[in-house]
Amino acid sequence: MTDRYAVVGNPVAHSKSPMIHHAFAKQTGQDIAYERLLSPLDEFLRTVEGFRAIGGKGVNVTVPFKLEAYRLATIHSACAQLAQACNCLRFDSDAIFGDNTDGNGIVTDIQHNLSVPLRGQRILIMGAGGAVQGILGPVLDCAPAQVIVANRTEEKARRLVDYFLACPAYAASPIRSSSYAALKEAAFDIVVNGTSSSLSDTLPALPPGVFARRALAYDMMYGKGRTPFLAHAREQGGGILADGLGMLVEQAAESFLVWRGVRPATAPVIAMLKAP
Ligand code: ATR
C-alpha cells in the first residue's frame, strides 16, 4: 500500500511540496503519495483527522496552521517546542509527533548549499513573527558571534528575545533585540529577511551600512524573484543573494527524514526547481 502524505494550508494551491516530495520518493525508492489539502480556516483539526482516518501517515503544515499543529501534536521535538509551532506531523499508532524543520532547513541551506558558516558571524534577523521564532533555535545552536532581532514593532522583538533568553539552553546566547533605526552604526555578515514584507513588495526601513562587505542577504520568501530586500542588499554591497527556495527544499528533506527515516539529496531537487 502506498503511504499517503499531504501539505495542509490555506491557501495551498501554490505549494511546491508535492513536487519536492515526489522527487525525493523517486530518488530514494520510497512508495509514497503526497497531495495538497486545502483546509477551511476554522477546520484544521477536522481536515487533519480526516486525512489520518483515511490512512494518512503524516502532513506538512503551512500558513496559517502551524500553531494549531503544535497544539495537535502529543510529542514535540526540541525545535518544535522552541518554535511553539509545527510544520511537520507524523501520525504514529499511539501518538502524533510534531516537529519544526524550518530552522534546520535554513541553517543547512546557508551553511551547506551557500557555503556560508554561521559560527562566529554577526547575524541580523529582520522580523519577530512565527517565521523568525521557527529558526532562531537552530541558528543560535551554530554559535554565531551575535544575533540581532530587529522588528518594526520593537516590543515584539524584545519579547521574542526575552523568550529565548529565558530558556536555559539559550540564557547565555549572544542575542538581543533592536529597532531598525538603532542599527545605523552596525554591520552584519548575514542579514536574513524573516518579515512578510516581500509579499507586499515593500522593504523594512533598514538604515544604510548594515551589510558588511560581501555579506549574505537571505530572503526567507521564495518565488518572488529579486525582492525589494534583495535589490536593496545588492545596492548596499551585499555579496551573496539568496531567496528561500533552498530552505523550502531543505525543510522538506528534514520532514521526509522524520517520516521515512532517510534523508534525500537536495541539490538535484533545488536544481530542478530553479530550472526555467
Ligand atoms: P510570520 O508567521 O510569517 O512570521 P507574522 O507573525 O504575521 O507572520 O509576522 C510578520 C512579520 O513581518 C512581523 O515581524 C512584521 O512586523 P510587525 O511585528 O511590526 O508587524 C513584519 N512585517 C510585515 N510587513 C512588514 C513591512 N512592510 N515592513 C517591516 N516589517 C514588516
Side-chain angles (χ1 to χ4, degrees):
M1 269 273 281
T2 303
D3 287 340
R4 292 176 68 174
Y5 298 90
V7 55
V8 187
N10 186 334
V12 79
H14 64 285
S15 173
K16 294 185 192 298
S17 292
M19 199 195 295
I20 294 170
H21 282 280
H22 285 137
F24 288 164
K26 195 168 166 202
Q27 181 201 120
T28 57
Q30 298 274 318
D31 184 15
I32 72 158
Y34 190 107
E35 61 205 85
R36 295 183 184 89
L37 274 181
L38 175 67
S39 170
L41 290 174
D42 56 352
E43 289 190 7
F44 173 73
L45 270 186
R46 216 166 67 94
T47 305
V48 172
E49 292 296 1
F51 184 65
R52 190 182 187 189
I54 58 166
K57 299 283 188 205
V59 289
N60 281 130
V61 180
T62 186
V63 176
F65 299 123
K66 291 184 185 183
L67 300 180
E68 277 184 80
Y70 180 82
R71 288 196 289 267
L72 179 62
T74 55
I75 306 172
H76 300 97
S77 71
C79 285
Q81 222 147 36
L82 274 173
Q84 297 281 297
C86 290
N87 70 334
C88 174
L89 298 176
R90 186 186 66 217
F91 306 138
D92 298 335
S93 54
D94 52 354
I96 299 179
F97 174 70
D99 201 353
N100 190 313
T101 64
D102 287 331
N104 287 330
I106 191 172
V107 162
T108 304
D109 192 37
I110 291 177
Q111 298 204 123
H112 185 76
N113 301 336
L114 301 170
S115 303
V116 176
L118 293 173
R119 186 181 187 82
Q121 302 283 69
R122 298 163 297 175
I123 303 175
L124 169 62
I125 299 189
M126 299 152 60
V132 169
Q133 184 162 350
I135 66 163
L136 277 177
V139 166
L140 289 169
D141 289 343
C142 294
Q146 181 187 46
V147 174
I148 305 292
V149 179
N151 196 42
R152 183 173 59 182
T153 314
E154 193 185 350
E155 173 57 24
K156 231 166 109 183
R158 195 176 307 130
R159 261 187 276 131
L160 185 57
V161 165
D162 286 348
Y163 167 77
F164 273 84
L165 291 174
C167 300
Y170 297 99
S173 59
I175 183 173
R176 66 179 179 82
S177 60
S178 177
S179 64
Y180 289 119
L183 296 170
K184 63 181 183 303
E185 303 301 327
F188 298 90
D189 309 300
I190 298 173
V191 181
V192 176
N193 183 14
T195 73
S196 46
S197 64
S198 298
L199 278 177
S200 53
D201 274 331
T202 54
L203 176 70
L206 278 178
V210 296
F211 295 91
R213 226 164 75 81
R214 290 205 284 270
L216 165 65
Y218 194 104
D219 201 326
M220 284 169 64
M221 197 66 60
Y222 67 89
K224 297 285 283 183
R226 180 69 66 90
T227 60
F229 166 71
L230 292 176
H232 176 75
R234 176 61 87 215
E235 276 165 23
Q236 292 285 312
I240 306 173
L241 307 184
D243 72 3
L245 186 74
M247 174 181 173
L248 174 77
V249 176
E250 295 298 342
Q251 65 76 28
E254 293 286 327
S255 297
F256 199 86
L257 174 64
V258 167
W259 295 328
R260 311 300 300 180
V262 45
R263 198 183 197 284
T266 49
V269 180
I270 294 173
M272 174 187 85
L273 292 174
K274 279 188 178 163

